[in-house]
PDB file of all heavy atoms in Angstrom:
ATOM      1  N   MET A   4     123.278  99.806  62.581  1.00 88.00           N
ATOM      2  CA  MET A   4     123.344  98.341  62.586  1.00 88.00           C
ATOM      3  C   MET A   4     124.308  97.877  63.685  1.00 88.00           C
ATOM      4  O   MET A   4     124.138  96.779  64.196  1.00 88.00           O
ATOM      5  CB  MET A   4     123.728  97.768  61.207  1.00 88.00           C
ATOM      6  CG  MET A   4     122.599  97.613  60.186  1.00 88.00           C
ATOM      7  SD  MET A   4     121.045  97.008  60.942  1.00 88.00           S
ATOM      8  CE  MET A   4     121.510  95.292  61.410  1.00 88.00           C
ATOM      9  N   LYS A   5     125.370  98.596  63.944  1.00 87.00           N
ATOM     10  CA  LYS A   5     126.343  98.348  64.989  1.00 87.00           C
ATOM     11  C   LYS A   5     125.639  97.946  66.244  1.00 87.00           C
ATOM     12  O   LYS A   5     126.082  97.041  66.973  1.00 87.00           O
ATOM     13  CB  LYS A   5     127.179  99.629  65.172  1.00 87.00           C
ATOM     14  CG  LYS A   5     128.509  99.351  65.788  1.00 87.00           C
ATOM     15  CD  LYS A   5     129.383 100.668  65.725  1.00 87.00           C
ATOM     16  CE  LYS A   5     128.916 101.734  66.650  1.00 87.00           C
ATOM     17  NZ  LYS A   5     129.703 102.987  66.516  1.00 87.00           N
ATOM     18  N   VAL A   6     124.577  98.582  66.640  1.00 90.00           N
ATOM     19  CA  VAL A   6     123.913  98.360  67.937  1.00 90.00           C
ATOM     20  C   VAL A   6     123.252  96.982  67.820  1.00 90.00           C
ATOM     21  O   VAL A   6     123.347  96.175  68.835  1.00 90.00           O
ATOM     22  CB  VAL A   6     122.866  99.439  68.278  1.00 90.00           C
ATOM     23  CG1 VAL A   6     122.304  99.229  69.620  1.00 90.00           C
ATOM     24  CG2 VAL A   6     123.345 100.775  68.041  1.00 90.00           C
ATOM     25  N   PHE A   7     122.606  96.721  66.754  1.00 92.00           N
ATOM     26  CA  PHE A   7     121.931  95.400  66.628  1.00 92.00           C
ATOM     27  C   PHE A   7     122.935  94.242  66.628  1.00 92.00           C
ATOM     28  O   PHE A   7     122.678  93.201  67.152  1.00 92.00           O
ATOM     29  CB  PHE A   7     121.198  95.318  65.289  1.00 92.00           C
ATOM     30  CG  PHE A   7     119.987  96.164  65.219  1.00 92.00           C
ATOM     31  CD1 PHE A   7     119.949  97.472  64.710  1.00 92.00           C
ATOM     32  CD2 PHE A   7     118.705  95.657  65.696  1.00 92.00           C
ATOM     33  CE1 PHE A   7     118.778  98.250  64.571  1.00 92.00           C
ATOM     34  CE2 PHE A   7     117.585  96.432  65.685  1.00 92.00           C
ATOM     35  CZ  PHE A   7     117.603  97.712  65.113  1.00 92.00           C
ATOM     36  N   ARG A   8     124.120  94.514  66.018  1.00 89.00           N
ATOM     37  CA  ARG A   8     125.087  93.446  65.923  1.00 89.00           C
ATOM     38  C   ARG A   8     125.962  93.225  67.175  1.00 89.00           C
ATOM     39  O   ARG A   8     126.300  92.119  67.559  1.00 89.00           O
ATOM     40  CB  ARG A   8     126.075  93.758  64.732  1.00 89.00           C
ATOM     41  CG  ARG A   8     125.400  93.562  63.398  1.00 89.00           C
ATOM     42  CD  ARG A   8     126.317  94.066  62.286  1.00 89.00           C
ATOM     43  NE  ARG A   8     125.586  94.136  60.997  1.00 89.00           N
ATOM     44  CZ  ARG A   8     125.957  94.802  59.961  1.00 89.00           C
ATOM     45  NH1 ARG A   8     127.110  95.515  60.010  1.00 89.00           N
ATOM     46  NH2 ARG A   8     125.304  94.853  58.864  1.00 89.00           N
ATOM     47  N   GLU A   9     126.267  94.366  67.800  1.00 87.00           N
ATOM     48  CA  GLU A   9     127.221  94.322  68.929  1.00 87.00           C
ATOM     49  C   GLU A   9     126.582  94.320  70.329  1.00 87.00           C
ATOM     50  O   GLU A   9     127.165  93.760  71.252  1.00 87.00           O
ATOM     51  CB  GLU A   9     128.297  95.432  68.819  1.00 87.00           C
ATOM     52  CG  GLU A   9     129.176  95.238  67.581  1.00 87.00           C
ATOM     53  CD  GLU A   9     130.001  96.504  67.298  1.00 87.00           C
ATOM     54  OE1 GLU A   9     130.116  97.311  68.115  1.00 87.00           O
ATOM     55  OE2 GLU A   9     130.514  96.530  66.124  1.00 87.00           O
ATOM     56  N   SER A  10     125.538  95.060  70.456  1.00 88.00           N
ATOM     57  CA  SER A  10     124.878  95.133  71.777  1.00 88.00           C
ATOM     58  C   SER A  10     123.363  95.127  71.692  1.00 88.00           C
ATOM     59  O   SER A  10     122.692  96.027  72.146  1.00 88.00           O
ATOM     60  CB  SER A  10     125.398  96.305  72.512  1.00 88.00           C
ATOM     61  OG  SER A  10     125.482  97.437  71.681  1.00 88.00           O
ATOM     62  N   PRO A  11     122.763  94.034  71.132  1.00 91.00           N
ATOM     63  CA  PRO A  11     121.327  93.987  70.990  1.00 91.00           C
ATOM     64  C   PRO A  11     120.632  94.077  72.345  1.00 91.00           C
ATOM     65  O   PRO A  11     119.459  94.438  72.420  1.00 91.00           O
ATOM     66  CB  PRO A  11     121.089  92.628  70.299  1.00 91.00           C
ATOM     67  CG  PRO A  11     122.325  91.795  70.538  1.00 91.00           C
ATOM     68  CD  PRO A  11     123.451  92.797  70.671  1.00 91.00           C
ATOM     69  N   GLU A  12     121.329  93.606  73.430  1.00 91.00           N
ATOM     70  CA  GLU A  12     120.623  93.621  74.712  1.00 91.00           C
ATOM     71  C   GLU A  12     120.199  95.021  75.111  1.00 91.00           C
ATOM     72  O   GLU A  12     119.152  95.233  75.767  1.00 91.00           O
ATOM     73  CB  GLU A  12     121.560  93.033  75.827  1.00 91.00           C
ATOM     74  CG  GLU A  12     122.818  93.786  76.168  1.00 91.00           C
ATOM     75  CD  GLU A  12     123.943  93.677  75.082  1.00 91.00           C
ATOM     76  OE1 GLU A  12     123.814  92.819  74.165  1.00 91.00           O
ATOM     77  OE2 GLU A  12     124.948  94.375  75.276  1.00 91.00           O
ATOM     78  N   LYS A  13     120.979  96.023  74.602  1.00 91.00           N
ATOM     79  CA  LYS A  13     120.575  97.419  74.926  1.00 91.00           C
ATOM     80  C   LYS A  13     119.179  97.674  74.300  1.00 91.00           C
ATOM     81  O   LYS A  13     118.336  98.414  74.893  1.00 91.00           O
ATOM     82  CB  LYS A  13     121.544  98.415  74.233  1.00 91.00           C
ATOM     83  CG  LYS A  13     122.756  98.654  75.112  1.00 91.00           C
ATOM     84  CD  LYS A  13     123.489  99.861  74.463  1.00 91.00           C
ATOM     85  CE  LYS A  13     124.952  99.872  74.964  1.00 91.00           C
ATOM     86  NZ  LYS A  13     125.815 100.699  74.024  1.00 91.00           N
ATOM     87  N   ILE A  14     118.942  97.162  73.127  1.00 93.00           N
ATOM     88  CA  ILE A  14     117.689  97.429  72.392  1.00 93.00           C
ATOM     89  C   ILE A  14     116.589  96.669  73.142  1.00 93.00           C
ATOM     90  O   ILE A  14     115.469  97.228  73.423  1.00 93.00           O
ATOM     91  CB  ILE A  14     117.763  96.885  70.959  1.00 93.00           C
ATOM     92  CG1 ILE A  14     118.856  97.688  70.201  1.00 93.00           C
ATOM     93  CG2 ILE A  14     116.439  97.113  70.283  1.00 93.00           C
ATOM     94  CD1 ILE A  14     119.079  97.255  68.760  1.00 93.00           C
ATOM     95  N   PHE A  15     116.852  95.379  73.538  1.00 93.00           N
ATOM     96  CA  PHE A  15     115.860  94.596  74.282  1.00 93.00           C
ATOM     97  C   PHE A  15     115.394  95.310  75.575  1.00 93.00           C
ATOM     98  O   PHE A  15     114.224  95.363  75.827  1.00 93.00           O
ATOM     99  CB  PHE A  15     116.338  93.210  74.605  1.00 93.00           C
ATOM    100  CG  PHE A  15     116.762  92.453  73.344  1.00 93.00           C
ATOM    101  CD1 PHE A  15     117.756  91.491  73.438  1.00 93.00           C
ATOM    102  CD2 PHE A  15     116.197  92.600  72.164  1.00 93.00           C
ATOM    103  CE1 PHE A  15     118.189  90.761  72.272  1.00 93.00           C
ATOM    104  CE2 PHE A  15     116.530  91.934  70.961  1.00 93.00           C
ATOM    105  CZ  PHE A  15     117.523  90.957  71.022  1.00 93.00           C
ATOM    106  N   GLU A  16     116.446  95.829  76.323  1.00 92.00           N
ATOM    107  CA  GLU A  16     116.108  96.491  77.553  1.00 92.00           C
ATOM    108  C   GLU A  16     115.160  97.648  77.286  1.00 92.00           C
ATOM    109  O   GLU A  16     114.208  97.895  78.027  1.00 92.00           O
ATOM    110  CB  GLU A  16     117.359  97.026  78.176  1.00 92.00           C
ATOM    111  CG  GLU A  16     118.116  96.047  79.123  1.00 92.00           C
ATOM    112  CD  GLU A  16     119.473  96.577  79.396  1.00 92.00           C
ATOM    113  OE1 GLU A  16     119.650  97.802  79.634  1.00 92.00           O
ATOM    114  OE2 GLU A  16     120.435  95.766  79.405  1.00 92.00           O
ATOM    115  N   ASP A  17     115.493  98.422  76.232  1.00 92.00           N
ATOM    116  CA  ASP A  17     114.707  99.579  75.927  1.00 92.00           C
ATOM    117  C   ASP A  17     113.264  99.269  75.549  1.00 92.00           C
ATOM    118  O   ASP A  17     112.320  99.918  75.929  1.00 92.00           O
ATOM    119  CB  ASP A  17     115.371 100.408  74.808  1.00 92.00           C
ATOM    120  CG  ASP A  17     115.900 101.706  75.271  1.00 92.00           C
ATOM    121  OD1 ASP A  17     116.791 101.671  76.114  1.00 92.00           O
ATOM    122  OD2 ASP A  17     115.397 102.726  74.784  1.00 92.00           O
ATOM    123  N   LEU A  18     113.155  98.235  74.757  1.00 93.00           N
ATOM    124  CA  LEU A  18     111.740  97.809  74.278  1.00 93.00           C
ATOM    125  C   LEU A  18     110.969  97.397  75.524  1.00 93.00           C
ATOM    126  O   LEU A  18     109.765  97.690  75.569  1.00 93.00           O
ATOM    127  CB  LEU A  18     111.973  96.658  73.298  1.00 93.00           C
ATOM    128  CG  LEU A  18     112.479  97.067  71.909  1.00 93.00           C
ATOM    129  CD1 LEU A  18     112.770  95.816  71.053  1.00 93.00           C
ATOM    130  CD2 LEU A  18     111.449  97.939  71.132  1.00 93.00           C
ATOM    131  N   LYS A  19     111.623  96.815  76.466  1.00 90.00           N
ATOM    132  CA  LYS A  19     110.939  96.379  77.722  1.00 90.00           C
ATOM    133  C   LYS A  19     110.428  97.636  78.454  1.00 90.00           C
ATOM    134  O   LYS A  19     109.275  97.716  78.820  1.00 90.00           O
ATOM    135  CB  LYS A  19     111.930  95.588  78.556  1.00 90.00           C
ATOM    136  CG  LYS A  19     111.261  94.623  79.509  1.00 90.00           C
ATOM    137  CD  LYS A  19     112.241  93.707  80.096  1.00 90.00           C
ATOM    138  CE  LYS A  19     111.592  92.935  81.238  1.00 90.00           C
ATOM    139  NZ  LYS A  19     112.632  92.170  81.991  1.00 90.00           N
TER     140      LYS A  19
END
Side-chain angles (χ1 to χ4, degrees):
Chain A
M4 274 321 294
K5 200 168 73 183
V6 191
F7 289 94
R8 288 173 191 163
E9 291 166 18
S10 40
E12 67 285 350
K13 277 191 198 162
I14 301 176
F15 301 150
E16 273 167 39
D17 247 64
L18 288 169
K19 207 170 170 188

